[in-house]
Amino acid sequence: RGPYSVLPQILSDTEYIESRQNQQTLLGIYFGFVVVIVALAVLNAGMSRNFGFGLLALQILLFAAAQAVTSGMAGLHIWPQSPHLNDVAAVIFNLCAASASLCFARAVCTPMRYSRYFDKLMLGLIFALPLSGVADLVYSSQASFMVLNIAVSAALAALLVGIGIGLYERDRDTRWVALGFSPL
């Protein structure tokens, strides 16, 4: 159920090694930045006793884990003898990263100030995303895949609406959250 399309290329040994070295260098830089950002977020969480920084660290860590699985780095370096774990980890880490993103946005943008029902919807989606992933892995079917995609779409919509409400209400902290999620 994962898309795969690659244009065939014929490379010399030198071109292939250079290509792999460039990929490994860029991924090393990316994961190095992740370590620095997570360390700073944890440090800020401890120093300021702000739960939001802890959630930010968790969100970035889960997102980086999802990127490691999607890029193949996790399968190559962490579980090279168990390639089937990549399929499971791709679903679970991506859904947990989305759930942590919702949790972070909910903690910082505090939608409860504006709508108790919307806050409960976000809370429900935070728990529904990983559960729908587990259900899809256990009972893999076309219907479970559709439910999974609907849950992810609803979570994305809730995330954007929650941030949008905070921006509309001119919440100071929400501007930074919106800027962080702007590539989304």
Side-chain angles (χ1 to χ4, degrees), residues 56-79:
L56 176 64
L58 177 66
Q59 175 205 2
I60 292 171
L61 199 60
L62 287 170
F63 186 75
Q67 290 297 314
V69 170
T70 303
S71 69
M73 295 299 293
L76 182 64
H77 296 293
I78 298 173
W79 50 75

Side-chain angles (χ1 to χ4, degrees), residues 161-172:
V161 167
I163 292 171
I165 290 170
L167 285 174
Y168 180 76
E169 295 292 329
R170 299 187 187 271
D171 182 53
R172 181 178 55 94

Side-chain angles (χ1 to χ4, degrees), residues 2-8:
Y4 183 78
S5 62
V6 176
L7 293 174

